[in-house]
Amino acid sequence: MDRWKGRVALVTGASVGIGAAIAKSLVQHGMKVIGCARNVEQIQKLAAECVSSGFSGTLIPYKCDLSVEDDMISMFSWIKVQHQGIDVCINNAGLALPEPLLSGKTSGWRTMMDVNVIALSVCTREAYQSMKERKIDDGHIININSICGHRVVNHADAHFYSASKYAVTALTEGLRQELREAKTHIRATCISPGLVETEFAYRLFSENPEIAVATYTSVKIGDIEITPVEQSM
């Protein structure tokens, strides 16, 4: 991780869960991290924790609604002015809504596509252009996917979410191919966690919290522990 000290990373959905853990770990290893989310107050608290812990990097909270393209474009413009650009983009933000294929609301499907697919694609495009403009040839674009991007679980509430994550699998492979054609050394990575105890299930089953509890107690699940490894970065 030494070569990344002082360089700039963007982590979307950095307010809770895996995103917050990633942002904290990168700051601990000396990076300048822009953490974005709609709930910027939680990122501000995390930034204060990083300072009190004496981490060598910096966490910079940025309020951004990833379902609004203008918000994302404004964020990248701000990053360019304040920090020149980004070297690492971690597309972590994602959400699931209980909207089955046979009875779900179109608005819920659209929200999942806007955040899980369109926002990821916009951030990827803008991150690449930022790297290209500054002749950064060792950047990294990392998509936080899900096992649901590789198999469809037998639960109606998760089917449309799975479709959005299958899209992330395809988009990452497409990105890899386009980066290769561009003859750049910028890397594309897709990480597909299994079940991890975060706020995810509690938000998905907000009207039936007992289902969320059962989800996390029925199987052995992973804890969030982010350990950057130089070979993967």
Side-chain angles (χ1 to χ4, degrees), residues 51-123:
V51 172
S52 63
S53 297
F55 293 162
S56 56
T58 307
L59 177 57
I60 302 155
Y62 190 96
K63 186 178 180 65
C64 181
D65 185 343
L66 292 169
S67 66
V68 179
E69 183 175 6
D70 286 348
D71 270 21
M72 291 182 279
I73 299 302
S74 295
M75 175 176 66
F76 276 92
S77 296
W78 178 84
I79 292 171
K80 181 177 181 178
V81 171
Q82 298 295 324
H83 306 287
Q84 288 71 59
I86 66 171
D87 306 303
V88 176
C89 177
I90 301 179
N91 290 307
N92 164 77
L95 59 84
L97 299 173
E99 304 291 356
L101 301 179
L102 300 182
S103 59
K105 296 188 293 293
T106 304
S107 59
W109 296 342
R110 186 171 288 114
T111 297
M112 283 185 272
M113 291 300 290
D114 283 345
V115 175
N116 299 357
V117 179
I118 301 300
L120 176 145
S121 299
V122 171
C123 288

Side-chain angles (χ1 to χ4, degrees), residues 15 30 34 53 59 76 118 120 131 136 141 144 168 170 223 225:
S15 58
I34 290 92
S53 297
L59 177 57
F76 276 92
I118 301 300
L120 176 145
M131 296 174 198
I136 298 298
I141 298 171
I144 306 300
V168 173
D223 296 322
E225 182 176 351

